[in-house]
Amino acid sequence: MGLSRSKQNAPVAPATTLFLFGAHGDLVKRLLMPALYNLFRDGLVGEDLHIVGVDHNTVSDADFAKKLEDFIRQEAASKVAQGGEEPLDPALWGSLSKRITYITGDFLDDSTYADIDAKIKSTGTRNAVFYLATAPRFFSEVTQRLGSSGLMVEDDESFRRVVIEKPFGHDLPSAVALNNCLLKVMSEKQIYRIDHYLGKETVQNILVSRFSNGLFESFWNNHYIDHVQITAAETVGVETRGSFYETTGALRDMVPNHLFQLLAMVAMEPPAAFGADAVRGEKAKVVGAIRPWSEMEALANSVRGQYSESSVDGKAVTGYRQEDRVDAESNTETYVALKVMIDNWRWMGVPFYLRTGKRMSVRDTEIAICFKPAPYAQFRDTDVDSVAPNFLKIQIQPDEGMWFDLQAKKPGPTLDMQTIELGFAYKDFFEMQPSTGYETLIYDCLTGDQTLFQRADNIENGWRAVQPFIDAWAKDPQVELYHAGEDGPAAADELLARDGRTWQRLG
Ligand code: BG6
């Protein structure tokens, strides 16, 4: 299902033993198991997929499978009650769950890896994928042990792969160190670094739309584009992740990964093919071309915000500093707005404005491409007092689609204009199967397609571009408060106003 194939001709994934490290964590029950179930429903994984949970708690195979089933059944039922998705199919689940087993083991204990080896031998398939759905502190520990116990050794007829969740490092030096550590015991071809944004259909569609419509390429450059805005606004707060978020903040959590993936999709050069090497090469290049700000420039080109308590739709909403496991005087940012420049021929002089925040007014992930306005001169003797620029809006979620703002004449005897929208909504053209976004990524890993996974150089280039903000902020830890339910602090508007621009309205 990666960019190089279509689902109609997608083959069933090869027989594999899939080890889920961190089997009792949220990711496994909320996203990975439902995705595996959906892949099984769609015939994209077969009866020869063996799923093995690995974690320190002691449970039997049957209890582990039952715990997953109860959770997935309940979630599916509550979605059905809200009018969406399908209930869990007992026959389908029964067939999948027969091949779910569990290994009780400490990630730091060599005997766990001996048990894993024995499990691979017992399933009769030598292909194995090790999915690290664990806390990041285990990434290097687990991979070193997978390497030293010989579990990463492949031969002509079998593969061994590792999937690593984000956060991949917490700054440039730690990301480089983690890459070095992985590459000591396995090759780049065996490493699948996940950014779940790449599992979203709308994100994959950016490439397809750009490169399959000749029209776009002709104006996709600094001659016609004035600036680009990339937004990921959330209404949720930090929920139960206070302690994680305290040391992470919005910049690390969203920018070098999700927002830079969106930026790369919009700004990369056309790849020679939709294969992993070509696509990832172009993405790494464009992220590597982001201008490295000095610390002074980083301060001038960034805004940090933090949500404070407020009332949203008549309900009291907790401020970040009052959240569980958050310091009452915390300066961790829950909102960030940045201006970045890409120093290459295509984008020279075109600012990319990025913003992301929690507890904003609406959930809205979108890319707005603003074109240079038409000259005003010809309207001078009319009632029109300005010509609004055209915007192309790529709506990632929710209400997935693409909209183009154009100017049109309002009917009537005088020359008056109005902005109208040409639109494409996914739901009007395609039937979207219920999915978690992880289906494509898991399937691609099982079938060996790395196109939608991050290569080491892409990750390092991303951290290199945000490092000046991290360094500058560490010396000047200040956030501006915004009320929960508002769209970030006033300074974010000033960041654009300074350049004579305004943010697109959210929603
Ligand atoms: C995760 C971040 O990677 O992405 C979360 O850690 C954030 O803080 C989430 O909420 C957003 O993902 P999505 O798919 O809801 O846009």
Side-chain angles (χ1 to χ4, degrees):
M1 266 187 293
L3 286 168
S4 40
R5 305 186 201 90
S6 76
K7 193 168 155 185
Q8 284 77 18
N9 59 24
V12 184
T16 306
T17 309
L18 170 63
F19 292 90
L20 302 173
F21 284 75
H24 288 290
D26 254 22
L27 183 68
V28 168
K29 66 178 186 203
R30 279 186 196 286
L31 294 165
L32 303 186
M33 271 319 297
L36 287 163
Y37 170 84
N38 290 342
L39 285 171
F40 191 57
R41 173 200 65 201
D42 294 343
L44 293 167
V45 299
E47 302 275 341
D48 45 13
L49 175 75
H50 300 269
I51 301 167
V52 187
V54 183
D55 220 328
H56 61 272
N57 316 36
T58 309
V59 292
S60 66
D61 293 347
D63 286 348
F64 176 58
K66 179 79 175 67
K67 189 183 139 204
L68 293 173
E69 178 185 354
D70 289 347
F71 183 84
I72 298 170
R73 183 190 304 288
Q74 225 170 40
E75 287 287 291
S78 88
K79 285 186 186 142
V80 171
Q82 291 161 28
E85 303 210 359
E86 308 154 352
L88 189 77
D89 177 334
L92 211 56
W93 176 263
S95 169
L96 181 68
S97 70
K98 267 192 239 146
R99 280 159 290 108
I100 297 181
T101 55
Y102 183 81
I103 291 176
T104 304
D106 185 330
F107 301 154
L108 307 185
D109 185 342
D110 289 346
S111 69
T112 305
Y113 299 84
D115 291 347
I116 288 174
D117 194 30
K119 175 66 81 178
I120 295 174
K121 289 183 176 126
S122 76
T123 61
T125 161
R126 301 214 306 281
N127 296 330
V129 170
F130 306 102
Y131 198 121
L132 273 54
T134 65
R137 67 178 187 281
F138 291 116
F139 292 167
S140 56
E141 299 284 0
V142 171
T143 46
Q144 288 316 291
R145 285 170 177 79
L146 288 171
S148 60
S149 53
L151 286 163
M152 293 310 298
V153 178
E154 301 183 312
D155 58 37
D156 289 347
E157 277 149 33
S158 67
F159 60 75
R160 298 293 164 95
R161 297 175 186 147
V162 164
V163 183
I164 304 211
E165 273 291 333
K166 74 175 264 279
F168 195 96
H170 56 91
D171 56 11
L172 178 60
S174 58
V176 172
L178 181 53
N179 273 328
N180 290 343
C181 170
L182 293 174
L183 290 165
K184 268 192 208 137
V185 292
M186 60 192 85
S187 71
E188 182 65 42
K189 285 234 164 302
Q190 294 177 286
I191 308 172
Y192 289 69
R193 300 176 191 81
I194 287 234
D195 183 313
H196 80 274
Y197 263 47
L198 293 175
K200 295 180 193 283
E201 284 291 343
T202 39
V203 175
Q204 296 167 29
N205 184 48
I206 300 172
L207 279 202
V208 176
S209 295
R210 269 191 69 193
F211 300 130
S212 65
N213 295 295
L215 175 80
F216 283 143
E217 186 52 24
S218 53
F219 53 67
W220 210 262
N221 56 51
N222 58 1
H223 296 294
Y224 300 99
I225 294 181
D226 175 73
H227 74 278
V228 177
Q229 300 183 13
I230 302 181
T231 301
E234 299 184 273
T235 50
V236 290
V238 292
E239 304 186 297
T240 54
R241 299 160 77 216
S243 62
F244 160 80
Y245 209 81
E246 270 291 84
T247 55
T248 306
L251 177 75
R252 288 182 165 96
D253 191 34
M254 297 291 287
V255 178
N257 30 65
H258 306 329
L259 294 198
F260 279 1
Q261 285 300 328
L262 298 182
L263 175 144
M265 292 293 209
V266 169
M268 68 192 269
E269 293 301 313
F274 274 150
D277 287 345
V279 171
R280 301 194 311 167
E282 293 305 339
K283 279 168 57 184
K285 255 194 256 168
V286 76
V287 176
I290 295 176
R291 186 180 304 166
W293 292 130
S294 67
E295 286 184 25
M296 288 267 285
E297 288 168 329
L299 277 185
N301 287 303
S302 64
V303 171
R304 287 159 280 171
Q306 186 190 78
Y307 61 84
S308 60
E309 60 192 327
S310 182
S311 132
V312 177
D313 296 334
K315 281 197 203 131
V317 176
T318 315
Y320 177 70
R321 290 177 186 168
Q322 291 77 51
E323 298 276 17
D324 196 21
R325 303 206 218 161
V326 167
D327 185 336
E329 291 175 10
S330 172
N331 271 319
T332 297
E333 79 287 355
T334 61
Y335 174 97
V336 57
L338 307 175
K339 172 178 167 180
V340 300
M341 302 298 292
I342 298 176
D343 284 339
N344 64 15
W345 286 99
R346 186 188 287 269
W347 297 113
M348 189 60 105
V350 179
F352 282 67
Y353 300 102
L354 277 47
R355 64 179 159 165
T356 181
K358 297 218 179 267
R359 285 266 184 250
M360 293 175 67
S361 64
V362 285
R363 177 165 187 248
D364 182 8
T365 306
E366 66 165 56
I367 300 167
I369 294 158
C370 178
F371 292 90
K372 295 193 169 160
Y376 173 70
Q378 64 264 37
F379 296 99
R380 199 169 289 137
D381 298 327
T382 70
D383 290 341
V384 174
D385 50 19
S386 65
V387 182
N390 301 120
F391 269 93
L392 173 64
K393 285 181 261 172
I394 305 172
Q395 186 70 32
I396 306 294
Q397 63 189 17
D399 304 326
E400 294 82 356
M402 285 172 106
W403 282 267
F404 216 140
D405 282 357
L406 297 177
Q407 308 311 320
K409 180 181 173 298
K410 270 194 196 169
T414 58
L415 204 167
D416 201 359
M417 286 199 299
Q418 183 178 321
T419 302
I420 53 100
E421 262 185 356
L422 291 185
F424 146 62
Y426 262 78
K427 63 175 171 29
D428 294 342
F429 288 84
F430 304 117
E431 198 186 325
M432 307 274 269
Q433 281 276 26
S435 87
T436 66
Y438 272 78
E439 289 80 355
T440 306
L441 298 172
I442 295 175
Y443 177 79
D444 285 358
C445 172
L446 294 174
T447 52
D449 182 347
Q450 290 186 300
T451 314
L452 297 177
F453 294 84
Q454 303 201 78
R455 211 168 61 187
D457 51 350
N458 193 166
I459 296 241
E460 290 176 16
N461 287 347
W463 280 114
R464 195 164 288 116
V466 299
Q467 193 64 44
F469 299 104
I470 296 176
D471 293 341
W473 294 358
K475 292 179 194 144
D476 179 17
Q478 307 221 13
V479 287
E480 194 181 323
L481 299 181
Y482 59 97
H483 288 117
E486 282 177 0
D487 292 333
D493 294 333
E494 287 150 26
L495 181 73
L496 267 68
R498 196 174 75 187
D499 295 346
R501 301 184 173 108
T502 50
W503 291 109
Q504 282 286 288
R505 206 151 40 83
L506 292 180

